[in-house]
Amino acid sequence: QLQVVESGGGSVQAGGSLRLSCTAPGLSSNRCGVHWFRQAAGKQREWVSDINGDASTITYTNSVKGRFTNSRDKVNDTVYLQMNSLKPEDTAMYSCVPYGPPSCRNYQLGQGTQVTVSS
């Protein structure tokens, strides 16, 4: 089973930036879209952003619009979430989930990557 790997998390001060990566073999060739989710401690998982298979449609939850940018690198089968102007309320475990054609639903999901923003 193909594995999804998230990376790029860390600890930053408010106002700082991080770039998360979501890599999985075949993300591009299978035309998989990618959901980004986050889950803060003690809270329900929250949808953050989507990017479809050809990056023609990208959507964001209201709280991150204008601060986060979702993009993809077709050559490297990687989707990025650039996070700028980070706030303490962005602190969470971030994870990515492929979606789309049946071949996009066979991935082993990753562990996520932790983002911690201090005030």
Side-chain angles (χ1 to χ4, degrees):
Q1 199 171 19
L2 298 176
Q3 179 74 48
V4 173
V5 178
E6 301 100 336
S7 62
S11 296
V12 296
Q13 290 192 325
S17 298
L18 287 170
R19 189 178 75 162
L20 307 185
S21 298
C22 171
T23 300
L27 269 185
S28 297
S29 59
N30 292 328
R31 297 180 175 270
C32 300
V34 169
H35 300 302
W36 282 101
F37 294 98
R38 65 186 179 185
Q39 187 166 19
K43 295 188 176 181
Q44 288 192 331
R45 188 175 72 163
E46 174 189 23
W47 169 76
V48 176
S49 179
D50 280 351
I51 185 168
N52 70 343
D54 63 3
S56 60
T57 302
I58 303 173
T59 53
Y60 303 93
T61 192
N62 285 340
S63 62
V64 308
K65 282 181 182 177
R67 300 190 298 122
F68 290 13
T69 302
N70 200 345
S71 63
R72 63 190 306 153
D73 178 345
K74 293 181 180 179
V75 173
N76 293 312
D77 279 334
T78 300
V79 170
Y80 299 103
L81 188 67
Q82 177 68 42
M83 307 188 298
N84 298 329
S85 302
L86 282 162
K87 303 176 181 181
E89 51 264 42
D90 294 318
T91 295
M93 180 70 76
Y94 285 71
S95 59
C96 62
V97 179
Y99 70 91
S103 58
C104 302
R105 303 169 202 166
N106 295 328
Y107 288 95
Q108 177 69 42
L109 299 182
Q111 303 274 356
T113 186
Q114 177 68 36
V115 171
T116 302
V117 185
S118 58
S119 58

